[in-house]
Amino acid sequence: MGEQRTVKFPQEVIDVYAALGVDLPALFSAGDLGNRMGVEIVEVSAERVVGTMPVEGNTQPYGLLHGGASAVLAETLGSIGSMLHGGTTKIAVGVDLNCTHHRGVRSGLVTGVATPVHRGRSTATYEIVISDEQDKRVCTARLTCLLRDAAGPAGG
């Protein structure tokens, strides 16, 4: 995996936050773990967040995609959706994550799609479906985030 990539947001989303004085990529990214795992965001809005992750480098001893890797992808996508739902006045903090692993995958790229189940004032819940390159479901996850008041525009 040697190569480190940063999570990318579409330029139009970055521009909205930049107009508010917020450096979105600095405010939220997959962090060191997500970068090491090769997580890449390909579509982002409060209604739908899509990201990919390579299986290679993210496997358990049997050579299958590690369940924890699926959890990292799911929490990253659901957190981004929750953060965008909360806007610049809220910070999304994960409080519950559950994952059901349906099948193993040994190679290629997995894609996660996060869609909202509930978007309220104080919590947001997203379902995240992770599929392999044959569009077979690998994992179904659900993430609930608490939306806390931010101290300032960038949460600091």
Side-chain angles (χ1 to χ4, degrees), residues 36-58:
R36 277 195 305 271
M37 295 178 71
V39 173
E40 188 168 339
I41 306 303
V42 296
E43 178 185 332
V44 64
S45 71
E47 294 76 31
R48 179 178 157 96
V49 181
V50 180
T52 61
M53 182 179 66
V55 173
E56 182 183 353
N58 294 315

Side-chain angles (χ1 to χ4, degrees), residues 11-32:
Q11 190 60 48
E12 58 271 12
V13 174
I14 292 172
D15 292 344
V16 167
Y17 277 77
L20 299 170
V22 176
D23 181 351
L24 184 61
L27 175 65
F28 187 91
S29 72
D32 291 339

Side-chain angles (χ1 to χ4, degrees), residues 113-125:
V113 179
T115 55
V117 173
H118 167 77
R119 290 186 296 168
R121 288 177 295 170
S122 61
T123 62
T125 300

Side-chain angles (χ1 to χ4, degrees), residues 39-108:
V39 173
E40 188 168 339
I41 306 303
V42 296
E43 178 185 332
V44 64
S45 71
E47 294 76 31
R48 179 178 157 96
V49 181
V50 180
T52 61
M53 182 179 66
V55 173
E56 182 183 353
N58 294 315
T59 57
Q60 38 88 309
Y62 295 114
L64 299 169
L65 178 65
H66 195 291
S70 294
V72 168
L73 178 59
E75 185 155 353
T76 299
L77 300 178
S79 293
I80 290 172
S82 296
M83 181 200 70
L84 291 174
H85 165 65
T88 59
T89 63
K90 299 285 186 176
I91 296 172
V93 180
V95 294
D96 182 62
L97 173 67
N98 68 66
C99 301
T100 301
H101 306 288
H102 305 293
R103 68 171 19 94
V105 59
R106 294 186 178 277
S107 63

